[in-house]
Amino acid sequence: MGSADAFDPIDFLETAVQHSSHEDVGPMREFLCETLTDQGIEPHIDDAGNVLANRGRALEDAETHVVLNTHIDTVSPHVPFDRDADAPDADGAPVVRGRGSCDAKGPLAALLSAFFAVEPTDGRVTLAVTPDEEVLSTGAHALVSSEQPPTRDADAVIVGEPTDLDVCTAAKGRFQGTIHLSGANAHAAEPDTGSNAVAALESVLAAIRTFGERDDAPPTHPQLGAATLTPTVVEGGEATNQVPAECALTVDRRSVPPETADDFHASLTAHLRAAVPADVGLAFRFTDRPTPFLEAWETDPDAAVVDVLADAAGGAVRPFTAATEASYFASAAPTVVFGPGVLADDEGAVAHAPREYVRVDAVREAARALEATVTELIG
């Protein structure tokens, strides 16, 4: 392998941000593979578009296996790169600006720096970089569901996301679905001869407000707080003088452990059926997607990866405030979310926003902390 000193995470980040990856991750993935090759690592691209690489012993011989994961896709539209010592953040620190700078190419740069720097002897380090975390997570799902997952037998998984160098040990899940109400059309002058699906929405909204108060509701989570259920989009009615026969309400669920998607579906359907008038049909259907929803997850705050990384980074141990692909890994191994950058600052949104940036010193500090952590974990 080439010298790890040859890899500069900031040089990598500046070039990575200039590769737009909101519509096509191909150029960014090619740049990542070239970077790995330049460091003497032979990358592999699987059928799902994941970039995989490893160092150390074969999986069956490794005493400890650590997985480093993040993603290369970004949201639309592309925001141009900017790197200027005269364009500091609020604290006067130099930054790299542009779409993907903190979500998640800054974390990727730090993970790569650690991956190249460690010298595993008895252990194994796997780098697994996914292509579509922002949309459907088909890459991450393929990683954990294949017959021989490259992330199997992991003792720890570190997922790169902007956490301001805090170690995040839990996150809410996100489910989305639509409540469908069906009645019967009638002339608005004779409303009692029909069944008004839009009027039944009143009962649905009241039931949504009390959903968290039912006897079998998941308890408030010690780290994440209470689950939330939010109505977001409504459609119904066809004519202004007609009793509407159809109404649909889309809802957003932010779940907490131990609630699963199946648990939520069953509980919500039963709760709504008890509230909606008997002459109105009711169905709740999840939004179609080819992969499982990102469910709520948690890792024991006393897990070794938490202690070691928190000591190395000097940050807090806390939950992450957004859904992540950590959901797919946490059921099989202690998993944390960690990286440079912030989702938002005192001025507003940072990630997914036109003013997205990451501090240069935070990227370097994340790289240092990750190298120290992986070195200690694998021996």
PDB file of all heavy atoms in Angstrom, residues 80-100:
ATOM      1  N   PRO A  80     -22.347  24.645  -5.894  1.00  0.00           N
ATOM      2  CA  PRO A  80     -20.930  24.663  -6.290  1.00  0.00           C
ATOM      3  C   PRO A  80     -19.969  24.671  -5.102  1.00  0.00           C
ATOM      4  O   PRO A  80     -20.275  25.196  -4.022  1.00  0.00           O
ATOM      5  CB  PRO A  80     -20.801  25.953  -7.098  1.00  0.00           C
ATOM      6  CG  PRO A  80     -22.184  26.266  -7.553  1.00  0.00           C
ATOM      7  CD  PRO A  80     -23.095  25.777  -6.475  1.00  0.00           C
ATOM      8  N   PHE A  81     -18.796  24.117  -5.347  1.00  0.00           N
ATOM      9  CA  PHE A  81     -17.707  24.103  -4.376  1.00  0.00           C
ATOM     10  C   PHE A  81     -17.152  25.509  -4.161  1.00  0.00           C
ATOM     11  O   PHE A  81     -17.062  26.314  -5.091  1.00  0.00           O
ATOM     12  CB  PHE A  81     -16.607  23.168  -4.893  1.00  0.00           C
ATOM     13  CG  PHE A  81     -15.252  23.422  -4.304  1.00  0.00           C
ATOM     14  CD1 PHE A  81     -14.941  22.968  -3.027  1.00  0.00           C
ATOM     15  CD2 PHE A  81     -14.278  24.111  -5.010  1.00  0.00           C
ATOM     16  CE1 PHE A  81     -13.687  23.192  -2.479  1.00  0.00           C
ATOM     17  CE2 PHE A  81     -13.021  24.333  -4.478  1.00  0.00           C
ATOM     18  CZ  PHE A  81     -12.721  23.871  -3.204  1.00  0.00           C
ATOM     19  N   ASP A  82     -16.780  25.780  -2.913  1.00  0.00           N
ATOM     20  CA  ASP A  82     -16.088  27.025  -2.598  1.00  0.00           C
ATOM     21  C   ASP A  82     -15.118  26.741  -1.459  1.00  0.00           C
ATOM     22  O   ASP A  82     -15.490  26.127  -0.455  1.00  0.00           O
ATOM     23  CB  ASP A  82     -17.076  28.116  -2.183  1.00  0.00           C
ATOM     24  CG  ASP A  82     -16.359  29.421  -1.814  1.00  0.00           C
ATOM     25  OD1 ASP A  82     -15.330  29.729  -2.430  1.00  0.00           O
ATOM     26  OD2 ASP A  82     -16.837  30.117  -0.908  1.00  0.00           O
ATOM     27  N   ARG A  83     -13.893  27.139  -1.624  1.00  0.00           N
ATOM     28  CA  ARG A  83     -12.875  26.973  -0.561  1.00  0.00           C
ATOM     29  C   ARG A  83     -12.054  28.240  -0.540  1.00  0.00           C
ATOM     30  O   ARG A  83     -11.292  28.515  -1.459  1.00  0.00           O
ATOM     31  CB  ARG A  83     -12.006  25.753  -0.866  1.00  0.00           C
ATOM     32  CG  ARG A  83     -10.788  25.596   0.042  1.00  0.00           C
ATOM     33  CD  ARG A  83     -11.209  25.078   1.437  1.00  0.00           C
ATOM     34  NE  ARG A  83     -10.056  24.513   2.122  1.00  0.00           N
ATOM     35  CZ  ARG A  83      -9.242  25.214   2.901  1.00  0.00           C
ATOM     36  NH1 ARG A  83      -9.455  26.511   3.081  1.00  0.00           N
ATOM     37  NH2 ARG A  83      -8.234  24.632   3.509  1.00  0.00           N
ATOM     38  N   ASP A  84     -12.252  29.037   0.508  1.00  0.00           N
ATOM     39  CA  ASP A  84     -11.591  30.338   0.567  1.00  0.00           C
ATOM     40  C   ASP A  84     -11.319  30.669   2.024  1.00  0.00           C
ATOM     41  O   ASP A  84     -12.224  30.643   2.863  1.00  0.00           O
ATOM     42  CB  ASP A  84     -12.490  31.399  -0.065  1.00  0.00           C
ATOM     43  CG  ASP A  84     -11.767  32.722  -0.280  1.00  0.00           C
ATOM     44  OD1 ASP A  84     -10.799  32.993   0.448  1.00  0.00           O
ATOM     45  OD2 ASP A  84     -12.182  33.475  -1.164  1.00  0.00           O
ATOM     46  N   ALA A  85     -10.086  30.980   2.332  1.00  0.00           N
ATOM     47  CA  ALA A  85      -9.737  31.347   3.708  1.00  0.00           C
ATOM     48  C   ALA A  85     -10.482  32.595   4.154  1.00  0.00           C
ATOM     49  O   ALA A  85     -10.638  32.841   5.347  1.00  0.00           O
ATOM     50  CB  ALA A  85      -8.229  31.567   3.828  1.00  0.00           C
ATOM     51  N   ASP A  86     -10.982  33.376   3.202  1.00  0.00           N
ATOM     52  CA  ASP A  86     -11.734  34.578   3.546  1.00  0.00           C
ATOM     53  C   ASP A  86     -13.233  34.320   3.644  1.00  0.00           C
ATOM     54  O   ASP A  86     -14.018  35.242   3.763  1.00  0.00           O
ATOM     55  CB  ASP A  86     -11.490  35.671   2.500  1.00  0.00           C
ATOM     56  CG  ASP A  86     -10.036  36.130   2.501  1.00  0.00           C
ATOM     57  OD1 ASP A  86      -9.430  36.122   3.590  1.00  0.00           O
ATOM     58  OD2 ASP A  86      -9.520  36.478   1.432  1.00  0.00           O
ATOM     59  N   ALA A  87     -13.628  33.042   3.575  1.00  0.00           N
ATOM     60  CA  ALA A  87     -15.040  32.691   3.692  1.00  0.00           C
ATOM     61  C   ALA A  87     -15.237  31.780   4.897  1.00  0.00           C
ATOM     62  O   ALA A  87     -15.605  30.621   4.766  1.00  0.00           O
ATOM     63  CB  ALA A  87     -15.527  32.011   2.418  1.00  0.00           C
ATOM     64  N   PRO A  88     -14.950  32.286   6.095  1.00  0.00           N
ATOM     65  CA  PRO A  88     -15.015  31.443   7.289  1.00  0.00           C
ATOM     66  C   PRO A  88     -16.436  31.243   7.766  1.00  0.00           C
ATOM     67  O   PRO A  88     -17.358  31.947   7.357  1.00  0.00           O
ATOM     68  CB  PRO A  88     -14.215  32.240   8.321  1.00  0.00           C
ATOM     69  CG  PRO A  88     -14.477  33.661   7.929  1.00  0.00           C
ATOM     70  CD  PRO A  88     -14.554  33.666   6.422  1.00  0.00           C
ATOM     71  N   ASP A  89     -16.607  30.285   8.670  1.00  0.00           N
ATOM     72  CA  ASP A  89     -17.899  30.144   9.326  1.00  0.00           C
ATOM     73  C   ASP A  89     -17.985  31.166  10.458  1.00  0.00           C
ATOM     74  O   ASP A  89     -17.148  32.060  10.576  1.00  0.00           O
ATOM     75  CB  ASP A  89     -18.116  28.711   9.817  1.00  0.00           C
ATOM     76  CG  ASP A  89     -17.238  28.371  11.017  1.00  0.00           C
ATOM     77  OD1 ASP A  89     -16.423  29.209  11.429  1.00  0.00           O
ATOM     78  OD2 ASP A  89     -17.370  27.243  11.532  1.00  0.00           O
ATOM     79  N   ALA A  90     -18.987  31.033  11.291  1.00  0.00           N
ATOM     80  CA  ALA A  90     -19.239  32.055  12.312  1.00  0.00           C
ATOM     81  C   ALA A  90     -18.095  32.200  13.306  1.00  0.00           C
ATOM     82  O   ALA A  90     -17.935  33.248  13.930  1.00  0.00           O
ATOM     83  CB  ALA A  90     -20.534  31.720  13.045  1.00  0.00           C
ATOM     84  N   ASP A  91     -17.291  31.153  13.471  1.00  0.00           N
ATOM     85  CA  ASP A  91     -16.184  31.205  14.423  1.00  0.00           C
ATOM     86  C   ASP A  91     -14.865  31.619  13.766  1.00  0.00           C
ATOM     87  O   ASP A  91     -13.829  31.607  14.409  1.00  0.00           O
ATOM     88  CB  ASP A  91     -15.999  29.836  15.090  1.00  0.00           C
ATOM     89  CG  ASP A  91     -17.199  29.468  15.940  1.00  0.00           C
ATOM     90  OD1 ASP A  91     -17.816  30.384  16.497  1.00  0.00           O
ATOM     91  OD2 ASP A  91     -17.524  28.273  16.037  1.00  0.00           O
ATOM     92  N   GLY A  92     -14.909  31.948  12.505  1.00  0.00           N
ATOM     93  CA  GLY A  92     -13.704  32.361  11.819  1.00  0.00           C
ATOM     94  C   GLY A  92     -12.823  31.225  11.367  1.00  0.00           C
ATOM     95  O   GLY A  92     -11.657  31.435  11.036  1.00  0.00           O
ATOM     96  N   ALA A  93     -13.341  30.004  11.350  1.00  0.00           N
ATOM     97  CA  ALA A  93     -12.551  28.845  10.928  1.00  0.00           C
ATOM     98  C   ALA A  93     -12.728  28.600   9.440  1.00  0.00           C
ATOM     99  O   ALA A  93     -13.831  28.743   8.904  1.00  0.00           O
ATOM    100  CB  ALA A  93     -12.981  27.608  11.716  1.00  0.00           C
ATOM    101  N   PRO A  94     -11.662  28.229   8.734  1.00  0.00           N
ATOM    102  CA  PRO A  94     -11.783  27.920   7.303  1.00  0.00           C
ATOM    103  C   PRO A  94     -12.751  26.756   7.075  1.00  0.00           C
ATOM    104  O   PRO A  94     -12.819  25.818   7.877  1.00  0.00           O
ATOM    105  CB  PRO A  94     -10.361  27.535   6.902  1.00  0.00           C
ATOM    106  CG  PRO A  94      -9.490  28.172   7.934  1.00  0.00           C
ATOM    107  CD  PRO A  94     -10.277  28.135   9.204  1.00  0.00           C
ATOM    108  N   VAL A  95     -13.492  26.846   5.971  1.00  0.00           N
ATOM    109  CA  VAL A  95     -14.479  25.829   5.662  1.00  0.00           C
ATOM    110  C   VAL A  95     -14.386  25.413   4.205  1.00  0.00           C
ATOM    111  O   VAL A  95     -13.824  26.131   3.368  1.00  0.00           O
ATOM    112  CB  VAL A  95     -15.917  26.325   5.953  1.00  0.00           C
ATOM    113  CG1 VAL A  95     -16.083  26.707   7.414  1.00  0.00           C
ATOM    114  CG2 VAL A  95     -16.282  27.496   5.042  1.00  0.00           C
ATOM    115  N   VAL A  96     -14.934  24.251   3.922  1.00  0.00           N
ATOM    116  CA  VAL A  96     -15.213  23.822   2.554  1.00  0.00           C
ATOM    117  C   VAL A  96     -16.719  23.905   2.381  1.00  0.00           C
ATOM    118  O   VAL A  96     -17.474  23.356   3.188  1.00  0.00           O
ATOM    119  CB  VAL A  96     -14.726  22.384   2.302  1.00  0.00           C
ATOM    120  CG1 VAL A  96     -15.200  21.886   0.938  1.00  0.00           C
ATOM    121  CG2 VAL A  96     -13.208  22.317   2.391  1.00  0.00           C
ATOM    122  N   ARG A  97     -17.152  24.611   1.339  1.00  0.00           N
ATOM    123  CA  ARG A  97     -18.573  24.785   1.092  1.00  0.00           C
ATOM    124  C   ARG A  97     -18.997  24.013  -0.153  1.00  0.00           C
ATOM    125  O   ARG A  97     -18.187  23.737  -1.032  1.00  0.00           O
ATOM    126  CB  ARG A  97     -18.916  26.267   0.897  1.00  0.00           C
ATOM    127  CG  ARG A  97     -18.586  27.140   2.100  1.00  0.00           C
ATOM    128  CD  ARG A  97     -19.080  28.569   1.881  1.00  0.00           C
ATOM    129  NE  ARG A  97     -18.643  29.454   2.954  1.00  0.00           N
ATOM    130  CZ  ARG A  97     -19.291  29.615   4.089  1.00  0.00           C
ATOM    131  NH1 ARG A  97     -20.411  28.948   4.307  1.00  0.00           N
ATOM    132  NH2 ARG A  97     -18.828  30.451   5.017  1.00  0.00           N
ATOM    133  N   GLY A  98     -20.303  23.726  -0.225  1.00  0.00           N
ATOM    134  CA  GLY A  98     -20.851  23.073  -1.399  1.00  0.00           C
ATOM    135  C   GLY A  98     -21.696  21.871  -1.023  1.00  0.00           C
ATOM    136  O   GLY A  98     -21.568  21.317   0.073  1.00  0.00           O
ATOM    137  N   ARG A  99     -22.590  21.471  -1.926  1.00  0.00           N
ATOM    138  CA  ARG A  99     -23.476  20.340  -1.659  1.00  0.00           C
ATOM    139  C   ARG A  99     -22.663  19.062  -1.460  1.00  0.00           C
ATOM    140  O   ARG A  99     -21.823  18.717  -2.292  1.00  0.00           O
ATOM    141  CB  ARG A  99     -24.471  20.173  -2.815  1.00  0.00           C
ATOM    142  CG  ARG A  99     -25.534  19.097  -2.631  1.00  0.00           C
ATOM    143  CD  ARG A  99     -26.373  19.299  -1.381  1.00  0.00           C
ATOM    144  NE  ARG A  99     -26.875  20.654  -1.195  1.00  0.00           N
ATOM    145  CZ  ARG A  99     -27.986  21.129  -1.764  1.00  0.00           C
ATOM    146  NH1 ARG A  99     -28.704  20.377  -2.562  1.00  0.00           N
ATOM    147  NH2 ARG A  99     -28.371  22.359  -1.526  1.00  0.00           N
ATOM    148  N   GLY A 100     -22.901  18.411  -0.339  1.00  0.00           N
ATOM    149  CA  GLY A 100     -22.167  17.208   0.006  1.00  0.00           C
ATOM    150  C   GLY A 100     -20.970  17.446   0.887  1.00  0.00           C
ATOM    151  O   GLY A 100     -20.361  16.487   1.370  1.00  0.00           O
TER     152      GLY A 100
END
